[in-house]
Amino acid sequence: MNSTQVSYFTLGAYIDEKLFRYLFFTILLCLYVLIIGSNVLLIVVICVNRSLHEPMFQFLCSLFVNELYGSLGLFPFLLVQILSDVHSVSAPLCFLQIFCVSSYVAVEFFNLAVMSYDRYLAICHPLQYHSLMIVRKVSVLTAAAWFTAFIFMVSITSLSFPLQLCGNFINKVYCDNYSLVKLACSNTTVNNIYGLAAAALIIFVPLVLILYTYLRILQVCFSGSKQTRQKAISTCTPHLASLLNYSLGVCFELLQSRFNMDHVPNYVRIFLSLYFLTCQPLFNPVMYGLNLSKIRNVQKSLFSIKRR
């Protein structure tokens, strides 16, 4: 049976407890509203204030847009499924979700890598920073992060689409590419090789770049002035916290999908599979909004004007 002939997939990880259905729905809806509100607020603050039209904040704007994009690919779907008695999804919608979630993951890592490069130039080459990080370069780096991620995900999704499937049961609360490939009864060697190569380029290459930039930043901090160290701490702490939080969440998902987790309670497995998709979109705006003094000061001035 060809995958294009499968009209729907059944999601088997949902727990049908009607007593908690509306509680889970309310929690997720409130979380989604908070994610939209916090990310849109910071995007607007950055766009309307000329003092924030700097490379670092433009990269942050790209990061916040990606949080909205990733949330859009997951939350409406989850909210509908929670209230539904039959947890099934049409094949086209499943492939669309695979593309959205996977591209969100890739764009997030690429954005974090670009931001670490920006911090490296700002701290290690402060005098040449504005001549090195010009507007055109910012635009190219931002576009490259999105375009490269989309190219990877179009390739991965197009490889999965023609697979011959032996079933339509996915033991998760959302569609993901690895679970779909496991349903195949045809040869998946090409999918596996391309998937490993894509994972290496999407995850490990950005992490290596980030590690290198922070090693250089540490060298400058140890040999530089107190002002340099304070600048590094104030601007790099939110980025490091975001990177660690996201990497931990992705690690949870990779371990869970590759190993037998039947001994782990279902609630825990669902939480681990959703952590990087639900917590990161709220974690980033809260972390950057509270820790970066320029954004915090602009927000305070905006609220003070409204009160007047």
Side-chain angles (χ1 to χ4, degrees):
M1 181 171 59
N2 193 280
S3 63
T4 56
Q5 296 173 338
V6 174
S7 59
Y8 68 93
F9 293 95
T10 300
L11 302 171
Y14 283 92
I15 303 168
D16 289 320
E17 293 189 15
K18 293 184 179 181
L19 292 174
F20 298 103
R21 176 183 294 183
Y22 296 104
L23 174 62
F24 294 149
F25 177 85
T26 304
I27 292 171
L28 279 178
L29 181 61
C30 291
L31 182 60
Y32 189 37
V33 170
L34 284 173
I35 288 170
I36 293 174
S38 58
N39 283 283
V40 169
L41 173 64
L42 290 183
I43 290 170
V44 171
V45 166
I46 291 171
C47 290
V48 301
N49 287 274
R50 290 187 177 182
S51 62
L52 299 180
H53 290 182
E54 299 176 8
M56 181 178 73
F57 298 107
Q58 289 174 308
F59 293 135
L60 273 178
C61 202
S62 174
L63 190 71
F64 298 146
V65 169
N66 190 46
E67 307 305 351
L68 293 173
Y69 168 68
S71 301
L72 181 63
L74 179 73
F75 276 91
F77 177 85
L78 285 180
L79 292 171
V80 171
Q81 289 294 327
I82 287 174
L83 295 181
S84 177
D85 292 322
V86 180
H87 305 295
S88 61
V89 54
S90 65
L93 185 58
C94 189
F95 280 102
L96 178 62
Q97 187 174 55
I98 288 171
F99 175 82
C100 290
V101 171
S102 301
S103 54
Y104 162 75
V105 172
V107 173
E108 191 80 1
F109 274 116
F110 290 152
N111 270 332
L112 290 171
V114 169
M115 290 169 67
S116 70
Y117 173 67
D118 173 69
R119 291 300 84 207
Y120 159 72
L121 290 182
I123 295 168
C124 299
H125 303 282
L127 298 179
Q128 297 85 20
Y129 175 70
H130 290 290
S131 60
L132 292 172
M133 193 60 75
I134 57 176
V135 175
R136 183 180 177 182
K137 190 173 185 179
V138 172
S139 302
V140 168
L141 288 172
T142 304
W146 285 83
F147 182 74
T148 307
F150 278 20
I151 290 296
F152 272 121
M153 293 314 125
V154 166
S155 303
I156 289 175
T157 309
S158 61
L159 284 174
S160 300
F161 192 76
L163 287 175
Q164 293 180 339
L165 305 180
C166 294
N168 66 345
F169 182 83
I170 297 175
N171 192 26
K172 297 195 75 170
V173 294
Y174 62 92
C175 295
D176 78 310
N177 189 66
Y178 185 72
S179 298
L180 191 142
V181 171
K182 287 196 296 184
L183 296 175
C185 43
S186 57
N187 192 336
T188 59
T189 303
V190 174
N191 298 74
N192 293 331
I193 293 173
Y194 190 86
L196 288 172
L201 291 171
I202 290 169
I203 299 174
F204 296 110
V205 170
L207 288 179
V208 169
L209 175 63
I210 292 168
L211 179 63
Y212 171 77
T213 56
Y214 272 101
L215 287 175
R216 295 297 303 272
I217 289 171
L218 281 175
Q219 288 178 344
V220 171
C221 287
F222 284 128
S223 60
S225 62
K226 183 180 179 181
Q227 185 180 2
T228 302
R229 287 193 291 271
Q230 288 177 341
K231 180 182 179 182
I233 291 171
S234 63
T235 58
C236 293
T237 299
H239 181 266
L240 276 176
S242 175
L243 175 66
L244 290 173
N245 181 69
Y246 189 64
S247 299
L248 190 64
V250 172
C251 185
F252 285 155
E253 171 59 13
L254 289 175
L255 291 174
Q256 173 171 244
S257 61
R258 265 62 178 180
F259 297 99
N260 185 6
M261 302 287 283
D262 291 339
H263 61 284
V264 179
N266 201 23
Y267 282 112
V268 177
R269 278 185 286 161
I270 293 172
F271 173 77
L272 293 179
S273 68
L274 291 174
Y275 180 82
F276 74 105
L277 294 170
T278 55
C279 294
Q280 185 75 0
L282 185 60
F283 182 88
N284 274 339
V286 171
M287 179 59 63
Y288 285 103
L290 294 177
N291 282 278
L292 293 182
S293 58
K294 281 190 175 182
I295 291 180
R296 194 169 62 246
N297 292 336
V298 170
Q299 286 176 316
K300 286 180 180 178
S301 63
L302 286 174
F303 284 118
S304 62
I305 290 172
K306 286 182 179 180
R307 286 176 184 176
R308 292 174 187 175

